[in-house]
């Protein structure tokens, strides 16, 4: 449980300091100019300035609850699965010796598990942070489940898996 708690604490810190504001800016830039509307943002810093001027500094933290859930479960799951998978491989396959491929397999498993643990929160976060959306976490959750079905909470899982399984395998390989 210690690896999960350590990861969850790291996820909380990164959520508050970096992830929520930058995810909001990214989402706004990606959705800017859609549906025939003229673009209103001219880059990252202009987006931040415009959001603060028009909506207040608090708006940079719109979607913080699902971002926090995602980051805590993301990092907590990664730390826990990586640690547990590595230990089991060393114990049952490699007679206690650590080898580079342990990190590749354990990192890939950690990446996959983190997506499965939090894709639903990522879907809600993205919809909350879209421009013009004033709905709450619970409202968006209910809307997705009732109108699109519960599996819609996991839309986008395959691209995230395609990115995070090899990405975490590579990243965590560098820790040995």
């Amino acid at each position: 449980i210690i690896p999960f708690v350590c990861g969850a604490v790291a996820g909380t810190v990164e959520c508050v300091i970096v992830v929520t504001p930058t995810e909001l800016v990214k989402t706004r830039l990606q959705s800017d100019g859609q549906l025939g509307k003229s673009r209103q943002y001219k880059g990252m810093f202009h987006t931040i300035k415009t959001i603060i001027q028009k909506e207040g500094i608090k708006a940079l933290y719109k979607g913080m609850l699902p971002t926090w859930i995602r980051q805590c479960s993301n990092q907590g799951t990664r730390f826990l699965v990586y640690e547990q998978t590595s230990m089991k491989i060393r114990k049952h396959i490699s007679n206690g010796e650590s080898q580079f491929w342990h990190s590749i397999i354990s990192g890939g498993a950690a990446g996959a598990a983190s997506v499965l643990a939090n894709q639903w929160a990522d879907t809600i976060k993205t919809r909350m942070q879209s421009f013009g959306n004033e709905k709450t976490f619970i409202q968006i959750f209910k809307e997705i489940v009732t109108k699109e079905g519960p599996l819609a909470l996991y839309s986008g899982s395959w691209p995230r898996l395609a990115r995070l399984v090899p990405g975490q395998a590579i990243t965590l390989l560098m820790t040995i």
Side-chain angles (χ1 to χ4, degrees), residues 6 15-17 21 29-30 50 56 63 69 72-73 82-83 97 123 135 137 163:
C6 291
C15 170
V16 173
I17 295 173
L29 283 166
Q30 288 174 334
T50 303
I69 292 168
C72 283
S73 62
Y82 179 78
E83 182 73 23
E97 293 181 32
T123 300
K135 295 176 182 168
F137 177 84
R163 174 176 58 96

Side-chain angles (χ1 to χ4, degrees), residues 19-159:
V19 178
T20 301
T22 58
E23 284 280 318
L24 177 86
V25 170
K26 177 192 79 161
T27 301
R28 293 285 180 92
L29 283 166
Q30 288 174 334
S31 62
D32 192 27
Q34 288 184 347
L35 304 173
K37 296 178 183 176
S38 61
R39 295 186 67 82
Q40 86 177 49
Y41 303 121
K42 297 177 179 119
M44 184 175 92
F45 294 110
H46 181 259
T47 304
I48 294 167
K49 179 181 169 187
T50 303
I51 290 169
I52 291 170
Q53 286 176 339
K54 291 184 175 182
E55 303 172 55
I57 197 160
K58 186 177 173 185
L60 290 172
Y61 288 90
K62 184 175 184 177
M64 188 157 138
L65 176 61
T67 304
W68 176 73
I69 292 168
R70 183 190 72 177
Q71 291 310 113
C72 283
S73 62
N74 201 37
Q75 304 304 41
T77 300
R78 280 185 190 159
F79 282 37
L80 178 65
V81 170
Y82 179 78
E83 182 73 23
Q84 292 297 309
T85 305
S86 294
M87 284 184 354
K88 292 203 185 306
I89 289 171
R90 280 193 309 273
K91 181 178 179 183
H92 297 292
I93 298 174
S94 299
N95 297 322
E97 293 181 32
S98 184
Q99 299 177 15
F100 82 96
W101 62 270
H102 297 164
S103 287
I104 293 171
I105 292 172
S106 300
S114 68
V115 170
L116 297 174
N118 64 46
Q119 179 61 41
W120 64 275
D122 190 57
T123 300
I124 295 169
K125 174 208 69 72
T126 300
R127 293 193 189 187
M128 279 185 84
Q129 291 180 332
S130 296
F131 185 73
N133 186 354
E134 298 302 323
K135 295 176 182 168
T136 67
F137 177 84
I138 297 297
Q139 289 170 326
I140 292 172
F141 176 82
K142 285 180 181 177
E143 184 176 281
I144 292 170
V145 171
T146 57
K147 291 184 179 177
E148 302 172 52
L151 287 179
L153 290 166
Y154 285 85
S155 60
S157 293
W158 288 112

